[in-house]
Amino acid sequence: MTKLAQLQAALNDKGLDAAYISDPMTINYLTGFFSDPVERVLALVIFANDDPFLFAPALEVEAIKDTGWTYPVYGYLDHENPFAMIADHVQHHAGTLINWGIEGESLTVDRLRSLETALPHARFNTDLSPLIAQMRMIKSPDEIAKLNKAGKWADFAFKIGFEAVQVGKTEQEVAADLEYALKQHGINKMSFDTLVQAGPHAAEPHGATSDNKIQNHQLVLFDLGTIVDGYISDASRTIAVGSLNDKQKDIYKVCLEAQLAAQDAAKPGITAEELDQVARNIITAAGYGEYFIHRLGHGMGSSEHEFPSIMEGNKLELQPGMCFSIEPGIYIPGFAGVRIEDCVHITDTGCKPFTHTTKELLTFPK
Amino acid sequence: MTKLAQLQAALNDKGLDAAYISDPMTINYLTGFFSDPVERVLALVIFANDDPFLFAPALEVEAIKDTGWTYPVYGYLDHENPFAMIADHVQHHAGTLINWGIEGESLTVDRLRSLETALPHARFNTDLSPLIAQMRMIKSPDEIAKLNKAGKWADFAFKIGFEAVQVGKTEQEVAADLEYALKQHGINKMSFDTLVQAGPHAAEPHGATSDNKIQNHQLVLFDLGTIVDGYISDASRTIAVGSLNDKQKDIYKVCLEAQLAAQDAAKPGITAEELDQVARNIITAAGYGEYFIHRLGHGMGSSEHEFPSIMEGNKLELQPGMCFSIEPGIYIPGFAGVRIEDCVHITDTGCKPFTHTTKELLTFPK
């Protein structure tokens, strides 16, 4: 059963007539076509009892046909009213439909109001976001193969990035070197902005790569990922530049212990919050609990923003096929930051990582 | 009057008690702090009669303080309920408020429903997106200076990119070369994915840069932009590789004529749709009207998705300070694509471009 047929079956189960799918990642997942239409309208309309159609900016129509999409695709021009046109196509395909599902996590309020105007008899009360997230949470062997492939390129990027590290070089220059090497190999999309952060700058865990210069006796944090065949990698490593003091060594050691313990504990049956606790207990016992200020991990697959979320309060039991990051961090403002991260997939008996760069503390330049 | 005070005055004019601002670009515009929180919650709450506050993921709080934000900023951890916490802060600051403005163009349906649950007495009927877009549409001299600076880096990128063109080289390799050169100069953010498209591939105007190899006797289309100090550039050029046939030369000539005519016609008083028509008439008269499948241009500033939209149906009169692209294109499927684009700002008597790379047809390698 295709993913599209699965969703169609779910519509029938829920007594829905149709679904308005608007998240570009979901459209990619269901159709194999990815595009970020930004302020333009891209929609997949799925009927409970009829063939679906895609609706897209006119300038995307050729690319959609090229992907092998066999159902109708309708384009619109910038000066046309997309929602009125969608309503006409719906009427033409299936008549007046009442019960619609939407993706509440991504559909904007304005667009819902435009749909309500264009389809005055329709009710958009059912949020399909949780169901779609659920479908996307368990990865197929084919998806896991793609995630492994993306992971290999992250390992390659670490190798280049570590070797590019020099005292006096900026974080940006190191990031530029590793991205350039990837592009020379045809890997031209990162899954998010590459993070290289040296010394105290790494204590801003979601700060940006900057012109901050790498200095001797610093920890340097890398967080990076690639996109390959629509699937991502995401991994973090922290390396040493020159010799470190005892406190720097200690936060690395504690973070690594937490990461390894969590990766060891990740298997079917443990809950997401229990897994978070495995890492958090180690960091807290070492006295750094207040500096681990985010969840242990996030789901990943086509993006790094999927389920399951590995955090306090999530009582979901892990199951084979779930994919997520295990990324404890210790961020001491004004001092240093450490994060060590692999993304893994749950197997029948444990978990396997998508990235394999050593997690022993490495020192560069060699 | 600061931009924040302007918006506060607008709330009073409209009889609103408060605004829930959730678009990261708007938050950047109003506060100077930019972050893309992705699935986490970042909000700016503005009261009609009290100081505003920011609400952000805990791991962003330090970065916000570093920007010099002098009002309160509240953080939340991943396992906490952000909307309940926002409701508490609102209650604490200003008591029970009824009439709220939202940004309907970016707020999702789920988040609106969460706000409605957390603030049961509030009504979120007023969409502030048009007002904010209006505020952002007229740029200050300071903003125009930043746009000029970003434009200079786009010109630099064209120079590197053109020189990188070789027969047999892939589109990706050329894009990698120009982005690497920018990063070496500390320009580490493109405003969108750099587009390099050769031959028939350029007839997919929003397709991606690929491993398609550049061949002799092709047109190669570049579309690129940088982000500098929170403001972008966005420009397109099309160059020749080797000699061209008459049809390739003709579509270049017609596209250039359309671009120059529109840039000449852009001045206070002409409407957006009239300006679109200036370019479109030239392309249509030359017999290529059906291949110009998008609007003439889009507003730009902090992003390339601002107002005014230069298209049929937009009767807005252009005014000094408005910034937008002038980018006619001719895309003949299976044959070639041409686009020539400068972004400009309207002055008292005409317009000035932010990019200055020649638009004469250049041939590379030289």
Side-chain angles (χ1 to χ4, degrees):
Chain A
M1 198 187 229
T2 65
K3 291 161 183 171
L4 211 46
Q6 258 179 281
L7 188 56
Q8 210 175 20
L11 296 186
N12 279 293
D13 282 354
K14 289 177 180 280
L16 292 172
D17 301 316
Y20 181 85
I21 303 295
S22 50
D23 183 336
M25 299 304 301
T26 309
I27 292 175
N28 181 36
Y29 177 76
L30 293 171
T31 71
F33 169 72
F34 179 75
S35 168
D36 178 1
V38 201
E39 83 276 33
R40 292 190 176 97
V41 175
L42 173 68
L44 170 63
V45 175
I46 303 173
F47 298 106
N49 300 303
D50 206 339
D51 286 344
F53 69 80
L54 273 166
F55 182 86
L59 46 71
E60 306 267 17
V61 167
E62 283 308 309
I64 291 172
K65 288 180 181 166
D66 284 351
T67 64
W69 173 254
T70 55
Y71 301 110
V73 48
Y74 303 113
Y76 79 100
L77 297 169
D78 284 331
H79 65 273
E80 295 179 310
N81 177 342
F83 297 101
M85 290 172 73
I86 289 170
D88 283 347
H89 292 303
V90 167
Q91 188 68 37
H92 178 77
H93 274 252
T96 301
L97 301 177
I98 306 297
N99 290 310
W100 285 74
I102 57 168
E103 289 186 284
E105 281 184 12
S106 57
L107 186 66
T108 64
V109 174
D110 271 5
R111 289 193 173 182
L112 175 60
R113 290 175 184 170
S114 295
L115 279 171
E116 286 170 340
T117 303
L119 292 161
H121 300 286
R123 288 188 228 118
F124 298 94
N125 296 331
T126 303
D127 183 5
L128 295 172
S129 291
L131 170 77
I132 290 166
Q134 189 73 28
M135 282 176 66
R136 287 177 60 178
M137 192 159 60
I138 307 293
K139 266 70 180 180
S140 68
D142 173 57
E143 290 181 288
I144 284 168
K146 288 176 177 166
L147 290 163
N148 271 316
K149 197 169 160 194
K152 285 205 170 70
W153 287 109
D155 284 327
F156 171 83
F158 281 134
K159 185 170 175 295
I160 304 288
F162 296 169
E163 285 166 3
V165 166
Q166 281 172 30
V167 172
K169 205 162 169 176
T170 67
E171 298 167 355
Q172 278 161 359
E173 287 167 337
V174 173
D177 284 346
L178 72 86
E179 290 187 8
Y180 185 64
L182 285 167
K183 283 180 188 176
Q184 284 179 313
H185 286 79
I187 305 299
N188 66 332
K189 277 290 255 193
M190 307 305 289
S191 41
F192 50 89
D193 291 341
T194 297
L195 212 60
V196 179
Q197 291 180 305
H201 190 209
E204 296 168 26
H206 279 225
T209 303
S210 77
D211 59 1
N212 178 34
K213 284 185 179 164
I214 296 168
Q215 294 172 35
N216 208 357
H217 313 301
Q218 282 189 331
L219 287 162
V220 179
L221 194 162
F222 288 75
D223 191 348
L224 55 85
T226 60
I227 307 183
V228 181
D229 297 341
Y231 284 78
I232 67 147
S233 51
D234 176 8
S236 302
R237 291 293 185 272
T238 305
I239 62 165
V241 178
S243 60
L244 299 182
N245 65 30
D246 287 348
K247 189 169 176 187
Q248 287 169 317
K249 283 185 204 163
D250 194 51
I251 61 173
Y252 189 90
K253 184 175 142 285
V254 170
C255 186
L256 178 58
E257 195 186 328
Q259 206 281 337
L260 294 174
Q263 199 161 314
D264 196 52
K267 53 177 65 89
I270 191 172
T271 67
E273 70 171 1
E274 285 163 355
L275 189 60
D276 178 276
Q277 211 58 51
V278 168
R280 202 165 300 276
N281 285 344
I282 289 167
I283 291 173
T284 302
Y288 300 118
E290 66 182 299
Y291 303 118
F292 179 18
I293 55 173
H294 56 70
R295 60 186 168 174
L296 180 62
H298 54 78
M300 47 85 72
S302 292
S303 86
E304 74 276 25
H305 307 289
E306 300 192 6
F307 292 94
S309 183
I310 311 300
M311 65 173 186
E312 189 181 333
N314 187 358
K315 297 182 193 308
L316 182 76
E317 275 190 18
L318 301 185
Q319 295 169 46
M322 288 183 180
C323 298
F324 53 85
S325 67
I326 300 180
E327 51 174 313
I330 299 174
Y331 314 98
I332 304 183
F335 177 67
V338 173
R339 182 165 62 253
I340 304 170
E341 169 188 27
D342 280 321
C343 288
V344 304
H345 63 100
I346 296 292
T347 63
D348 288 342
T349 56
C351 78
K352 281 191 181 155
F354 299 119
T355 36
H356 301 278
T357 298
T358 183
K359 290 182 271 201
E360 291 306 306
L361 182 58
L362 300 176
T363 302
F364 285 86
K366 276 177 182 165
Chain B
M1 198 186 229
T2 66
K3 292 162 183 171
L4 210 47
Q6 257 179 284
L7 189 55
Q8 209 174 22
L11 296 185
N12 279 294
D13 282 353
K14 286 175 181 283
L16 293 172
D17 301 316
Y20 180 86
I21 302 297
S22 52
D23 183 335
M25 299 305 301
T26 310
I27 292 175
N28 181 36
Y29 178 75
L30 294 171
T31 71
F33 169 72
F34 179 75
S35 168
D36 178 0
V38 201
E39 82 276 34
R40 293 191 175 96
V41 175
L42 173 67
L44 171 63
V45 176
I46 302 173
F47 299 106
N49 298 304
D50 205 340
D51 285 344
F53 70 79
L54 273 165
F55 184 86
L59 46 71
E60 307 266 18
V61 168
E62 284 308 309
I64 291 172
K65 289 180 180 167
D66 284 351
T67 63
W69 173 252
T70 56
Y71 299 111
V73 48
Y74 304 113
Y76 80 100
L77 297 168
D78 284 331
H79 63 274
E80 295 179 309
N81 177 341
F83 297 101
M85 290 172 74
I86 289 169
D88 284 348
H89 292 304
V90 167
Q91 188 67 40
H92 178 77
H93 275 250
T96 302
L97 301 178
I98 305 298
N99 291 310
W100 284 74
I102 57 167
E103 289 185 283
E105 279 184 14
S106 58
L107 186 65
T108 64
V109 174
D110 271 6
R111 291 193 170 180
L112 175 61
R113 290 174 183 169
S114 296
L115 278 172
E116 287 171 339
T117 303
L119 292 161
H121 300 287
R123 286 188 230 118
F124 298 93
N125 295 333
T126 304
D127 184 5
L128 295 172
S129 291
L131 171 76
I132 290 166
Q134 187 74 27
M135 280 176 67
R136 287 177 62 178
M137 191 159 61
I138 306 294
K139 267 67 178 181
S140 67
D142 174 57
E143 289 181 289
I144 285 167
K146 287 176 177 166
L147 289 162
N148 271 316
K149 197 169 160 193
K152 285 206 171 67
W153 286 108
D155 284 327
F156 171 82
F158 281 133
K159 185 171 176 298
I160 303 289
F162 295 168
E163 285 167 3
V165 167
Q166 282 171 29
V167 172
K169 204 162 170 178
T170 67
E171 298 167 354
Q172 278 161 358
E173 287 167 337
V174 173
D177 284 346
L178 72 87
E179 290 188 7
Y180 185 66
L182 285 168
K183 284 180 187 176
Q184 284 179 314
H185 286 79
I187 305 300
N188 67 331
K189 279 289 254 191
M190 306 305 288
S191 42
F192 51 89
D193 291 343
T194 297
L195 212 60
V196 178
Q197 291 180 304
H201 190 210
E204 297 167 25
H206 280 224
T209 302
S210 77
D211 58 1
N212 178 34
K213 284 184 179 163
I214 294 167
Q215 294 172 35
N216 209 357
H217 312 302
Q218 283 188 329
L219 287 162
V220 180
L221 193 162
F222 289 75
D223 191 348
L224 56 84
T226 60
I227 307 184
V228 180
D229 297 342
Y231 284 77
I232 68 148
S233 51
D234 176 8
S236 301
R237 291 292 184 274
T238 305
I239 63 165
V241 178
S243 60
L244 299 182
N245 65 30
D246 287 348
K247 189 168 176 188
Q248 287 169 316
K249 284 184 204 164
D250 193 50
I251 59 174
Y252 189 91
K253 184 178 142 284
V254 170
C255 187
L256 177 60
E257 194 186 330
Q259 205 281 337
L260 294 174
Q263 198 162 315
D264 195 52
K267 55 177 62 92
I270 190 171
T271 68
E273 71 171 1
E274 285 165 355
L275 189 59
D276 178 276
Q277 211 58 50
V278 168
R280 202 166 299 277
N281 285 345
I282 290 169
I283 292 173
T284 302
Y288 301 118
E290 66 181 300
Y291 303 119
F292 179 18
I293 56 174
H294 55 70
R295 59 186 169 175
L296 179 63
H298 54 77
M300 49 85 72
S302 293
S303 87
E304 73 276 26
H305 308 289
E306 301 192 7
F307 292 94
S309 184
I310 310 300
M311 64 175 185
E312 187 182 334
N314 187 358
K315 297 181 192 310
L316 182 76
E317 275 191 20
L318 301 184
Q319 295 169 44
M322 289 183 179
C323 297
F324 53 85
S325 67
I326 298 179
E327 50 174 314
I330 299 174
Y331 315 99
I332 303 182
F335 177 67
V338 172
R339 183 164 60 253
I340 303 170
E341 170 189 24
D342 281 320
C343 288
V344 304
H345 64 100
I346 296 291
T347 63
D348 287 342
T349 55
C351 78
K352 281 191 181 158
F354 299 119
T355 36
H356 301 277
T357 298
T358 182
K359 289 181 273 201
E360 291 307 306
L361 181 59
L362 300 177
T363 303
F364 285 87
K366 276 177 182 163

